[in-house]
Amino acid sequence: MTNGKKEQNTQEFPDLLRENGLKVTSQRLRVLEEITHKNAAISQPDLEKIVGKDIDRVTLYRILSSFEEKGIVHKIFDLNGTATYAMCTSNCTENHHHDQHIHFICSVCNSVFCLDEVSLPKITLPPHFALHSLAINAVGLCANCQKED
Amino acid sequence: MTNGKKEQNTQEFPDLLRENGLKVTSQRLRVLEEITHKNAAISQPDLEKIVGKDIDRVTLYRILSSFEEKGIVHKIFDLNGTATYAMCTSNCTENHHHDQHIHFICSVCNSVFCLDEVSLPKITLPPHFALHSLAINAVGLCANCQKED
DNA sequence: TTAAGTGCAAAATCTTTGCAAATGT
DNA sequence: ACATTTGCAAAGATTTTGCACTTAA
């Protein structure tokens, strides 16, 4: 189980931004750090709490949507419909995401984990439905919350 | 492909409400009609447009959340994170939903379909994850939007 | 130097809360 | 008659927009 991060250390963030035609700013680096910091996807509200002292709320919105647009991060909605963000693993390009992995959402702590190593099932749809991608959310108890039962 | 409705005609709505300890009001009947009317789940904003003249926005919020709480409808988030609602098929009780079917979300018209007849795949999670339920969203083109390509 | 990015103010939405009036049983 | 439900007003939260100032390249 990973956070989907590309085994990339902090050093690589400026390159990541440049590759995507984005200027390297302290705010963007900070957001990248926070997103990769946790073992799970991070919600917009949580991000806001963490960086809110340093980064304007509006700027955060704009940074996150530009990251998503460029394929740097992907956006998952948790059980409450709250947007959460995780790094894209690979192959994600502008307006074309390949976040084809299962997400695990803990029903207790609401954490979102990207399960890159679990393979996607084959789904057969009824006639006249053309499948482009699958978004699978497995809901249950994460390791941490099981302990506390 | 169905809307998840229990083959129930309009006549049965009052019973459905009574069974769930809810009073039969014209507003609630109206919302039930609209939710079962379409072949797909309906979003809160769309519902609001349709019934907005007759039902207060706040009342709509309260009706939808009471329906969800009682297990009359279930809530799915579409690709934009917008709440959409569809009838529960069966076995849904207060605070315990069994909407264990795949949802198909059209990336063009954003419609959400409940695919009751598609069986759920088996997913094997990494150690220390306890699975409770699967929420699978298949994204692609629905029959209508394929025609218009 | 200059195009892109940021912060602040303000607008536009979306969602919740409190309470008096209306309604179903 | 009485508990629920509704509508309205208002508060609170979230998200977007416009614009002047700042910053990276």
Side-chain angles (χ1 to χ4, degrees):
Chain A
M1 159 215 71
T2 80
N3 182 26
K5 56 184 135 180
K6 317 185 182 186
E7 315 300 331
Q8 70 207 150
N9 58 44
T10 299
Q11 290 294 350
E12 292 167 346
F13 290 156
D15 283 344
L16 180 62
L17 292 173
R18 275 187 285 262
E19 283 163 20
N20 285 285
L22 298 175
K23 288 190 176 173
V24 180
T25 69
S26 63
Q27 292 89 335
R28 284 176 175 155
L29 292 174
R30 181 73 195 289
V31 171
L32 286 175
E33 273 168 32
E34 295 302 339
I35 291 180
T36 48
H37 185 261
K38 271 185 61 180
N39 188 21
I42 187 166
S43 71
Q44 165 121 358
D46 283 355
L47 257 177
E48 211 169 294
K49 276 171 217 140
I50 296 172
V51 304
K53 277 210 155 186
D54 309 317
I55 306 179
D56 187 79
R57 175 199 286 264
V58 175
T59 302
L60 182 56
Y61 273 103
R62 292 194 265 227
I63 287 177
L64 290 172
S65 58
S66 71
F67 283 4
E68 203 205 352
E69 204 171 64
K70 298 296 187 181
I72 296 174
V73 302
H74 65 272
K75 189 192 213 172
I76 314 118
F77 295 102
D78 71 11
L79 298 177
N80 305 311
T82 303
T84 71
Y85 295 88
M87 297 300 286
C88 286
T89 33
S90 59
N91 302 110
C92 289
T93 59
E94 189 154 356
N95 297 319
H96 196 189
H97 284 218
H98 297 264
D99 52 336
Q100 288 299 292
H101 52 256
I102 293 178
H103 293 116
F104 182 91
I105 308 181
C106 178
S107 56
V108 173
C109 67
N110 211 13
S111 290
V112 177
F113 300 90
C114 300
L115 305 181
D116 295 295
E117 70 280 14
V118 177
S119 59
L120 284 177
K122 304 270 173 288
I123 303 276
T124 305
L125 296 180
H128 309 303
F129 285 92
L131 183 64
H132 286 177
S133 64
L134 278 177
I136 301 187
N137 291 334
V139 180
L141 272 183
C142 73
N144 266 336
C145 292
Q146 272 180 23
K147 287 186 210 149
E148 289 145 22
D149 270 359
Chain B
M1 157 215 71
T2 81
N3 182 26
K5 55 185 137 180
K6 318 184 180 186
E7 317 298 331
Q8 70 207 152
N9 57 45
T10 300
Q11 289 293 351
E12 291 167 346
F13 290 156
D15 284 344
L16 180 61
L17 291 174
R18 276 186 284 261
E19 281 163 21
N20 285 284
L22 298 174
K23 288 190 177 173
V24 180
T25 68
S26 63
Q27 292 91 335
R28 284 177 175 153
L29 292 174
R30 181 73 194 289
V31 171
L32 286 175
E33 273 168 32
E34 295 302 340
I35 292 180
T36 48
H37 185 263
K38 269 185 61 179
N39 188 22
I42 187 166
S43 71
Q44 165 122 357
D46 283 355
L47 257 177
E48 211 169 293
K49 276 171 218 140
I50 295 172
V51 305
K53 278 209 155 187
D54 310 316
I55 306 179
D56 186 80
R57 175 199 288 264
V58 174
T59 303
L60 182 56
Y61 274 103
R62 292 194 267 226
I63 287 178
L64 290 172
S65 58
S66 71
F67 282 3
E68 202 205 353
E69 204 172 63
K70 298 297 187 180
I72 296 174
V73 302
H74 64 272
K75 189 192 212 172
I76 315 118
F77 295 102
D78 71 12
L79 299 177
N80 306 312
T82 304
T84 71
Y85 294 88
M87 297 300 286
C88 287
T89 33
S90 61
N91 300 110
C92 290
T93 60
E94 189 154 357
N95 298 319
H96 197 190
H97 284 218
H98 297 265
D99 51 336
Q100 289 298 293
H101 53 255
I102 293 178
H103 292 115
F104 182 92
I105 307 181
C106 178
S107 55
V108 171
C109 67
N110 211 16
S111 290
V112 177
F113 301 89
C114 299
L115 305 181
D116 294 295
E117 72 279 15
V118 177
S119 59
L120 283 177
K122 303 271 174 286
I123 303 277
T124 306
L125 296 180
H128 308 303
F129 286 91
L131 182 64
H132 286 178
S133 64
L134 279 176
I136 300 187
N137 291 334
V139 180
L141 272 183
C142 75
N144 266 336
C145 292
Q146 273 180 22
K147 287 186 212 151
E148 289 145 22
D149 268 0

